[in-house]
Every structure is written in C-alpha cells, then in structure tokens.
Amino acid sequence: MTTRSKILYAGEPALDAAEFRRVLVESGLGANRPVNDEARLKAMLASADLVLTARRDAPGRPLVGVARGVTDFSWVCYISELAVSQSAQGLGIGKGLLDEARRQLGPTVAIALISITDAVGFYERIGMTRMADAFWFGREH
C-alpha cells in the first residue's frame, strides 16, 4: 500500500460491488456502465485481474477512486475503468491509481485504456500516448 496526499492506494480484489457502483455513478462513468445490474458488476469485479482502490485516509476509509484492469502481468494491462468520485477529482487520484498500477505491474507491462471524450486531456497531461489505430466490436446489450 502506498500513500499520496492523504489518499491510500491498494490492491483490493474483494471490493464490494455497492462501493464500486457508487464510485462509477459519482465519477460520471455510471452513464455508460451497467450500474443497475448488480450481478454484472460483481462479475466485472470477480473477473478482473487487477482491482486498485483509492481511499481517503479518514474514519471509515471512504472509497473515492477505482481502477479495474485485465492483464497477463507480462505484456499488457487493459484498464477498463478508471473512476474517481467527482468530489475528489482534481486531487491527483486518477494519476495516483495509474501510478499504483504501473508500480504493481512493473516496467515490462504496457497499460492501455479507452478514454471518454471529456477525459482525453487528462490522459495526455499525465503523459499517455494517444493511439490512432484502435478497433472495437460493440456489445449487443
């Protein structure tokens, strides 16, 4: 576990689906995630190889950020969610979660993600490279 400005970052593979849902909704990602399907949220967490959390170092340790990824721990990690509660945005928590992912994965593992339009500038500011050649088969539901 590492600490950055009163925020505790840690791997939390048994993260509660209700806490995950709350941060997705508070971050704005709830608009395009299945936040009303508890079984699917639980499956998303259970199937992730990497679940990192950012919690305030305060009584009750409230969850303010989550990074969820799928990885082989050797070549690449796809970050499927990087969510920070709106009340905690601008505190460096998104970057802190990605730094923790890089620390846990090591220097030989690349990190990939798909940004929502409003967050593109954030990823560019923290030094991620925009990729032109990405492709997508959309889900049916």
Side-chain angles (χ1 to χ4, degrees), residues 60-128:
R61 304 251 166 130
L63 183 70
V64 292
V66 175
R68 187 179 74 87
V70 179
T71 183
D72 54 18
F73 294 99
S74 180
W75 183 250
V76 69
C77 176
Y78 170 67
I79 300 292
S80 49
E81 278 87 31
L82 180 64
V84 177
S85 295
Q86 195 165 33
S87 64
Q89 290 177 6
L91 300 177
I93 293 169
K95 183 176 183 322
L97 284 164
L98 288 173
D99 288 347
E100 182 65 13
R102 293 176 77 192
R103 187 188 73 73
Q104 288 195 22
L105 293 165
T108 62
V109 179
I111 294 178
L113 58 81
I114 297 172
S115 176
I116 61 171
T117 304
D118 293 345
V120 169
F122 163 75
Y123 295 112
E124 290 176 336
R125 279 192 306 280
I126 67 168
M128 292 188 85

Side-chain angles (χ1 to χ4, degrees), residues 24-40:
L24 289 174
V25 169
E26 290 176 0
S27 72
L29 284 182
N32 59 13
R33 296 299 191 278
V35 294
N36 294 318
D37 186 342
E38 184 179 4
R40 197 165 183 185

